Amino acid sequence: MQGKPVAILSNNDGCVISRSDEAKNLGLPMGAPAFKYSGFFKANNINVLSSNYPLYGDMSSRVMSILQQFSPDIEVYSIDESFIEFIGFNNYNFNDYALQIRTQVLKWTGIPTCVGVAPTKALSKVANKIARKFPNKTKGVYVIDTEEKRIKALKWIKLEDIWGIGYGLQKRLTLKGCKNAYDFVQLPDEWVRKNFSVTEWKLKKDLEGIPTLNLDHTEAKRAIATTRSFEYTFSDLENIKERVSTFATSCAEKLRKQNCSCHMIIVLLSSDRHKKNTQQHRVNTTICLPFPTDSTLEISNAAINGLEKIYKKGIKYKRAGVIVTGLVPTNTHQLHLFENENPKHKPLMKTIDELNCKYGDYKLKLGNQDLKRTWKMRQEHLSPKYTTNIKDIIKVK
């Protein structure tokens, strides 16, 4: 859909969470409720799509694997963005190299990208915005490699468009007389350190071309959460149990992927806060386990027990979640003197993970889970899962 207005909706087709430039130019705001803007979509021929997480995740993984071929030093910043550090590339022509990166990603995935190259992370974000704003002049690539280019870029970019400057900080800097990034870097270091945190000072130095924001290397998570809104509101305990069990299963699988076990489980339950005329109930509970575990059976049972304690009859619930925390390495945790996990769980979980990995779509589930669906969401505008579902694979005639 290149060149056409496109809007991506959030879970349950709730609101707009991503827009193409064409949709932005039509005046479609971020966060627009889908039910309120249905007429706007039709009047402006905006292509509306539901979130397609399997497809996005797979395509993102493909793009990142391509980028790793150009440099081993890479930080995956988000699903559609990454930072690459070029160490030992002193004699390279970065404009040509960036064009090569962009060409290869487009050829191998069909995804158009923009590449910004600069001495620091913050400046590379500015360069990327310039490449995206002027695609015909830059061919999707812009390199800030001189002081003249840096100053020109900082005078061009608005304060609110600077990476790391939110609404609150923008408001305070505007009161100080700043209109763009150049005005920001002209502020005295002492004043910035005194009135803001070290994070804002580092951002200022980065925009000055002095590297202060290093690549972030992936670390094991301290907590793992799975929270979702329901497709519809549920007031019966059995339906909510099924959802919580599915969320707990997801957390357990993520634990095993990073070779961790958890000590505590937090169960969240919430009614629909948008329906002011109905009785509201937002509650959570924490379950402390006698021993650390990564077993789906143990975690699901504990989550269900926690749910039964906080569930309130007659409430229409719209959202639930499971968080596992108190994480420790699975192979080096402290054992309990009297209570320990059933030794049969380890080989069982390993077999389940291997079979689900081999056959996909969570073929093996707990008995209290819905066998047909993993995430129950309203997705009335779902695009095909071209690369993750054999039934949706593109057919070339």
Side-chain angles (χ1 to χ4, degrees), residues 52-65:
N52 192 337
Y53 300 116
L55 178 63
Y56 302 158
D58 180 66
M59 295 307 296
S60 174
S61 178
R62 294 181 186 215
V63 171
M64 300 309 168
S65 65

Side-chain angles (χ1 to χ4, degrees), residues 103-121:
T103 301
Q104 190 143 318
V105 171
L106 181 63
K107 183 177 180 180
W108 288 12
T109 67
I111 298 175
T113 56
C114 289
V115 183
V117 182
T120 68
K121 290 174 76 172

Side-chain angles (χ1 to χ4, degrees), residues 1-237:
M1 293 186 181
Q2 292 185 32
K4 297 180 180 180
V6 179
I8 307 298
L9 302 180
S10 62
N11 290 346
N12 297 306
D13 293 345
C15 62
V16 175
I17 56 171
S18 185
R19 307 156 295 164
S20 65
D21 289 338
E22 293 78 11
K24 292 178 184 178
N25 294 335
L26 290 170
L28 179 64
M30 180 68 85
F35 72 96
K36 286 186 178 180
Y37 277 77
S38 57
F40 184 87
F41 295 149
K42 292 179 182 178
N44 292 279
N45 295 319
I46 296 176
N47 298 277
V48 181
L49 298 173
S50 301
S51 296
N52 192 337
Y53 300 116
L55 178 63
Y56 302 158
D58 180 66
M59 295 307 296
S60 174
S61 178
R62 294 181 186 215
V63 171
M64 300 309 168
S65 65
I66 293 171
L67 297 181
Q68 287 176 338
Q69 297 177 21
F70 291 90
S71 174
D73 300 300
I74 181 172
E75 174 194 337
V76 180
Y77 185 67
S78 67
I79 194 170
D80 64 346
E81 192 171 9
S82 67
F83 291 102
I84 304 174
E85 189 170 15
F86 297 111
I87 299 174
F89 288 71
N90 299 337
N91 297 322
Y92 274 65
N93 183 314
F94 283 112
N95 192 78
D96 292 345
Y97 201 56
L99 281 171
Q100 186 182 341
I101 294 173
R102 187 177 185 276
T103 301
Q104 190 143 318
V105 171
L106 181 63
K107 183 177 180 180
W108 288 12
T109 67
I111 298 175
T113 56
C114 289
V115 183
V117 182
T120 68
K121 290 174 76 172
L123 283 175
S124 70
K125 290 280 290 184
V126 176
N128 186 275
K129 285 185 179 292
I130 294 172
R132 183 174 177 180
K133 183 69 175 178
F134 307 102
N136 294 329
K137 291 183 179 179
T138 64
K139 297 181 180 178
V141 168
Y142 191 73
V143 180
I144 297 177
D145 53 2
T146 66
E147 185 66 6
E148 182 184 356
K149 282 186 176 181
R150 183 184 73 85
I151 293 173
K152 186 177 180 181
L154 294 184
K155 287 182 176 180
W156 171 79
I157 192 166
K158 296 178 182 177
L159 202 60
E160 61 267 25
D161 293 332
I162 302 172
W163 175 57
I165 294 185
Y167 177 75
L169 180 57
Q170 175 202 341
K171 197 172 180 180
R172 294 175 67 186
L173 290 173
T174 302
L175 292 174
K176 187 65 178 174
C178 296
K179 295 180 181 179
N180 52 39
Y182 184 75
D183 293 337
F184 173 51
V185 299
Q186 296 309 300
L187 296 174
D189 283 352
E190 297 78 11
W191 186 87
V192 174
R193 290 294 296 266
K194 183 179 178 180
N195 292 274
F196 302 111
S197 69
V198 69
T199 303
E200 283 74 33
W201 176 80
K202 285 185 176 181
L203 174 60
K204 176 180 179 295
K205 304 309 287 183
D206 234 51
L207 290 170
E208 290 174 0
I210 302 171
T212 54
L213 302 173
N214 299 320
L215 292 189
D216 290 332
H217 298 286
T218 304
E219 297 179 357
K221 297 179 180 178
R222 297 180 182 178
I224 294 173
T226 302
T227 62
R228 296 284 188 279
S229 294
F230 304 146
E231 187 178 15
Y232 306 103
T233 54
F234 293 133
S235 56
D236 61 303
L237 182 58

Side-chain angles (χ1 to χ4, degrees), residues 298-315:
E298 296 284 359
I299 293 172
S300 178
N301 286 336
I304 293 298
N305 291 335
L307 170 66
E308 291 175 340
K309 293 177 182 178
I310 61 176
Y311 167 78
K312 196 173 180 180
K313 191 174 181 180
I315 302 291

